[in-house]
């Protein structure tokens, strides 16, 4: 039995705030808990925001902005966060971020920014953010939950966004079933389950998007979250270009 | 608070079996429940299986099979379920199914088949399957849960599979937030949440893949699952080719 619940009563988070202390003050952590955290509060605590007014868009940003009907300063911020532009069209800019994620606008987002005219970027190293958050929670509460940091990504081929993991610590992001057997004793075909992404999606169901609930606790996943070390992080979920058919 | 739990004690399902009766016998349904059902039991109940020995592969199946190191009869079954082949490579065949899903092997799968040398296909009309299952459950139990039928799909750009919805009834698969406002009163950018896919992913976390638990109940989603009619189904999640940048 899995229980999923939003953490209530978190304060608004700003640059330099101790997010772990805010979380530890709002929820009593138990061994085996998984904390799923929307990246925006992590980004804000880490100061990963940019004022639109401070951005001077270059020629490529201006050209893409005109083509897509976007603010050229926003596009410049997107390009600054991108390793490459994968596709443009239908008013969207699909980028590969410096971390290797492929998503719209390289995750650069204007909604839920603390102030108007401010962009929120993805954390520079979301696996590192998850590890630091986990270590600080252990320090404060004596319990080291698994931590998953999420963003909402659109998908190829399907409408709508789902939350996915962009960073994690303390759990195996990919549960590898190759070589195991099905209920009838036959070997399963190549099956690796992206547990970190399923946790991200599950947590989003317990959140009211307009209610400011960035932190969700998932309980009852003991058999899959019980690793003492931080593990490989979401880096293990990134499919390298040479093994990808869709870029 | 969301609760997610696997239904215990379901019998093995074969062609012609009354799946709804099996489910109604194993779990006491309550209003607002969401039943998440792995498609394989639906496919088996509907007789959507093919014996490998009955398949005579054509020249294209033989050619692709040789190229990808697969059984040509399996490849023929995949082609029979496909509207088009989207990509081939790395030993996989990414197809667009007749329903419009883009996935490996058009969802044709050998694992968990009732007998060796048998392939399990996707239901012919998974939204229709969900509607029929829901109607029959209402008939048997007096309660019409929301029903989501799932399969495990790989993803572009990311390792691992996640469960996604291939059919649904009684819930809004896509929660449209456009025009709504964030916690600070600003309008959200285009945001539509693929609730049906998040439910599929969440359910998979409560399942032990080798334990034969095809049916999961999700409780506590009342505000999002309470629709009396069947709704548009997963058809509403399919991005039409003209709006897709990745095929």
């Amino acid at each position: 039995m899995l229980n999923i619940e939003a953490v209530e009563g978190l304060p608004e988070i700003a640059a330099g705030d101790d997010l772990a202390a805010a979380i530890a003050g709002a929820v009593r952590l138990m061994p085996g808990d998984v904390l799923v955290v929307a990246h925006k509060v992590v980004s804000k605590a880490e100061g990963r925001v940019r004022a639109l007014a401070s951005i001077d868009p270059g020629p490529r940003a201006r050209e893409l902005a005109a083509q897509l009907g976007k603010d050229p300063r926003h596009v410049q911020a997107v390009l600054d966060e991108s390793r490459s532009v994968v596709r443009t069209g239908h008013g969207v800019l699909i980028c590969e971020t410096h971390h290797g994620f492929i998503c719209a606008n390289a995750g650069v987002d204007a909604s839920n920014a603390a102030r108007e005219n401010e962009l929120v970027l993805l954390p520079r190293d979301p696996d590192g953010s998850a590890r630091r958050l986990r270590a600080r929670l252990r320090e404060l509460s004596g319990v080291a939950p698994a931590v998953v940091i999420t963003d909402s990504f659109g998908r190829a081929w399907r409408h709508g966004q789902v939350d996915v993991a962009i960073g994690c610590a303390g759990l195996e992001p990919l549960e590898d079933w190759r070589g195991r057997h099905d209920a009838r004793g036959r070997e399963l075909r190549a099956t690796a389950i992206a547990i970190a992404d399923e946790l991200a999606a599950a947590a989003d169901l317990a959140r009211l998007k307009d209610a400011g609930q960035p932190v969700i606790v998932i309980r009852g996943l003991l058999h899959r979250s019980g690793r003492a070390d931080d593990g490989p992080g979401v880096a293990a979920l990134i499919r390298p270009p040479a093994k990808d058919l869709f870029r």
Side-chain angles (χ1 to χ4, degrees), chain A:
Chain A
M1 163 86 87
L2 221 61
N3 292 300
I4 310 184
E5 193 166 20
V7 173
E8 305 280 357
L10 283 173
E12 186 79 10
I13 298 294
D17 284 357
D18 186 340
L19 175 60
I23 294 171
V27 61
R28 191 171 154 185
L29 293 169
M30 298 194 292
D33 283 357
V34 181
L35 270 187
V36 182
V37 183
H39 84 84
K40 274 177 195 154
V41 287
V42 177
S43 295
K44 284 186 216 175
E46 294 179 352
R48 288 281 289 161
V49 296
R50 285 182 80 176
L52 266 181
S54 73
I55 300 172
D56 183 21
R60 188 161 180 230
R62 289 181 188 281
E63 187 192 327
L64 283 167
Q67 185 189 320
L68 298 166
K70 288 184 176 292
D71 183 324
R73 299 168 301 175
H74 189 171
V75 174
Q76 184 61 55
V78 170
L79 294 177
D80 292 344
E81 297 300 314
S82 298
R83 188 185 286 172
S84 69
V85 174
V86 178
R87 295 282 192 289
T88 61
H90 308 307
V92 298
L93 192 56
I94 312 290
C95 300
E96 180 181 5
T97 69
H98 293 300
H99 329 85
F101 302 129
I102 293 183
C103 60
N105 301 322
V108 176
D109 196 11
S111 76
N112 270 315
R115 286 182 294 276
E116 293 287 352
N117 302 316
E118 203 168 63
L119 302 171
V120 180
L121 318 176
L122 296 185
R124 200 176 298 277
D125 169 19
D127 282 330
S129 303
R131 288 180 197 128
R132 282 190 300 275
L133 188 55
R134 184 172 189 239
R136 179 79 178 126
L137 284 165
R138 181 180 357 220
E139 201 173 278
L140 292 167
S141 71
V143 173
V147 173
V148 179
I149 297 175
T150 66
D151 193 13
S152 302
F153 281 9
R155 293 86 52 81
W157 320 313
R158 291 173 84 87
H159 284 308
Q161 299 179 308
V162 296
D163 276 14
V164 302
I166 63 166
C168 72
L171 83 165
E172 197 56 61
L174 198 64
E175 196 171 76
D176 198 339
W177 284 76
R178 283 171 297 183
R180 299 206 213 174
H181 296 79
D182 71 14
R184 303 189 65 83
R186 265 143 334 138
E187 194 169 338
L188 291 170
R189 68 204 166 97
T191 298
I193 305 171
I195 297 292
D197 288 328
E198 292 191 334
L199 287 165
D204 194 41
L205 292 168
R207 177 184 290 141
L208 294 170
K209 211 132 192 160
D210 55 355
Q213 294 172 321
V215 181
I216 308 290
V217 182
I218 301 184
R219 294 196 158 126
L221 196 78
L222 269 167
H223 61 295
R224 280 166 161 166
S225 60
R227 72 178 286 167
D229 67 339
D230 287 327
V234 167
L237 291 182
I238 295 175
R239 195 189 284 273
K243 295 207 162 181
D244 197 333
L245 297 167
F246 294 99
R247 64 177 96 186

